[in-house]
Amino acid sequence: MHSATAAFLANIPSPDRGVWHLGPIPIRAYALCIIAGIVIAIWWGERRWMQRGGSKGAIIDIAVFAVPFGLVGGRLYHVITDYQLYFGEGKNPLDALKIWDGGLGIWGAIALGGVGAWLACRRKGIPLPAVADAVAPGIVVAQAVGRLGNYFNQELYGRETDVPWGLEIYPRVDPATGLSDPIGGVALDTVEKVVHPTFLYELLWNLGVALLVVWADRRFRLGHGRAFALYVAGYTAGRFWIEMMRADTANHILGLRVNVWTSMLVFAGAVLYIVLAARRGPREAPETLRDRGTEDDDGSGGTAARPDTQDPEDAENTAAETPETTEAGSSPDSGETPSTEERKVEPGQ
């Protein structure tokens, strides 16, 4: 394996560890990547939501529900589809709770996270599909950042390869005991194998999907969940071929990994949704995205979108349709400005 490293100097080295200690506190790269991804998704989703005319702070409020639901859902999917890692002879079921060791299924995270978002949207009186459209590119970028966590954990890589950009995998051991510790240990100065960096393939693919969603959303003014469905279709198309390259242990159905089947089914569902949702017409009007009961700047409690949060394209259309005044207090059709006497109302009239 040393000769392979010498022959391919462009190989990607793995990090020597994925956990650092600040005194007794472990700092885990995987957890930091997940947190960073969540922050990006919320920040970008909030900006996109306000650009569409939505209420400021709505995405942050929804995330309070969606993120915990999503983490639980992601872990549940992973444990269910890879149950052999946690249950059976010689296994410790409590390891299923160790989310910091890696293992979040995006399918479960999106599904249960969607339930949390739906509950929050019902409380706020805003449409879930519009929220999903706003957060779609941020979510797929968050997934890209999350893949860096797999890189630090040396997990979910592909089959062995001799391509120049192959990923070097090192054995890791606990410095105190010298025992093997793939997640929390420190790498030895030895290359165990060179593999396809599927974490990198998916990271780059996800960034491409984010750009696709942003472009299509601006070009076609997608609404009613179509931007989110495009993200799902784009992501699953990539996950299909990347999953076929993975070398980690996984359950199979009819010779294919479970996640390959999931990718195909979810892709078909996303494409069908895009077709059906197109019949619902144009993107949601900005005034429908305001929180129920949210007060405007004047304290009136109305639900009309504020000028500073209205969709720029909608604002231009509104300006084009509104007649311009020719003089103070007059319209083009009025002929002249009423005099003070004409506007005066006598008592008793």
Side-chain angles (χ1 to χ4, degrees):
M1 302 309 294
H2 287 289
S3 60
T5 305
F8 299 103
L9 299 179
N11 282 351
I12 302 172
S14 291
D16 68 333
R17 69 190 70 195
V19 182
W20 298 265
H21 288 82
L22 188 61
I25 303 174
I27 308 298
R28 301 179 184 275
Y30 183 84
L32 294 178
C33 291
I34 295 297
I35 293 170
I38 291 172
V39 170
I40 291 171
I42 294 173
W43 172 80
W44 196 3
E46 179 76 9
R47 287 177 57 88
R48 283 173 51 83
W49 180 250
M50 292 180 63
Q51 289 169 356
R52 287 173 177 247
S55 304
K56 182 178 181 180
I59 300 301
I60 297 175
D61 293 342
I62 293 169
V64 172
F65 285 80
V67 171
F69 274 73
L71 292 175
V72 172
R75 189 60 175 179
L76 282 175
Y77 181 89
H78 167 73
V79 172
I80 291 172
T81 55
D82 291 295
Y83 62 89
Q84 72 280 355
L85 300 177
Y86 307 101
F87 305 100
E89 186 177 354
K91 303 296 182 180
N92 182 5
L94 292 179
D95 288 343
L97 303 177
K98 297 180 179 179
I99 192 173
W100 53 85
D101 284 343
L104 288 174
I106 186 60
W107 322 107
I110 294 297
L112 206 54
V115 172
W118 173 74
L119 292 173
C121 286
R122 288 200 62 183
R123 289 168 59 93
K124 301 177 77 64
I126 55 180
L128 175 62
V131 171
D133 286 339
V135 301
I139 288 178
V140 74
V141 169
Q143 290 176 236
V145 175
R147 282 307 181 203
L148 288 174
N150 300 135
Y151 170 55
F152 277 94
N153 277 2
Q154 283 196 149
E155 60 185 0
L156 307 186
Y157 45 77
R159 296 185 296 273
E160 292 192 47
T161 182
D162 58 1
V163 297
W165 57 87
L167 176 67
E168 296 178 346
I169 299 299
Y170 312 129
R172 289 177 175 174
V173 299
D174 183 339
T177 65
L179 299 177
S180 176
D181 188 355
I183 300 296
V186 178
L188 300 176
D189 189 18
T190 304
V191 177
E192 185 177 279
K193 53 188 172 182
V194 178
V195 298
H196 277 288
T198 49
F199 87 91
L200 181 60
Y201 299 162
E202 188 169 331
L203 185 157
L204 296 175
W205 181 273
N206 288 350
L207 295 179
V209 171
L211 293 176
L212 172 65
V213 172
V214 170
W215 171 82
D217 196 27
R218 291 178 177 175
R219 175 67 177 80
F220 302 107
R221 292 182 55 75
L222 301 176
H224 304 287
R226 285 182 292 163
F228 185 83
L230 178 60
Y231 139 63
V232 173
Y235 170 73
T236 51
R239 182 65 183 267
F240 174 83
W241 65 267
I242 294 172
E243 191 74 23
M244 298 285 283
M245 301 180 68
R246 293 253 296 262
D248 54 301
T249 302
N251 292 319
H252 290 68
I253 298 177
L254 299 178
L256 293 177
R257 296 164 66 99
V258 170
N259 284 332
V260 172
W261 285 105
T262 305
S263 296
M264 290 190 293
L265 294 174
V266 175
F267 174 84
V271 172
L272 179 61
Y273 183 90
I274 292 173
V275 174
L276 296 178
R279 302 177 182 178
R280 300 189 63 182
R283 176 187 288 179
E284 298 89 343
E287 59 266 21
T288 67
L289 310 184
R290 302 291 294 166
D291 292 8
R292 185 167 50 208
T294 297
E295 293 190 351
D296 288 332
D297 292 340
D298 61 359
S300 63
T303 57
R306 295 195 303 250
D308 63 334
T309 59
Q310 190 174 11
D311 190 312
E313 294 186 31
D314 291 331
E316 292 174 5
N317 295 337
T318 302
E321 295 170 1
T322 303
E324 295 182 0
T325 57
T326 56
E327 295 183 23
S330 65
S331 69
D333 298 329
S334 64
E336 61 181 23
T337 305
S339 65
T340 305
E341 288 77 8
E342 291 173 334
R343 292 196 301 267
K344 185 183 297 181
V345 179
E346 295 295 335
Q349 288 187 336

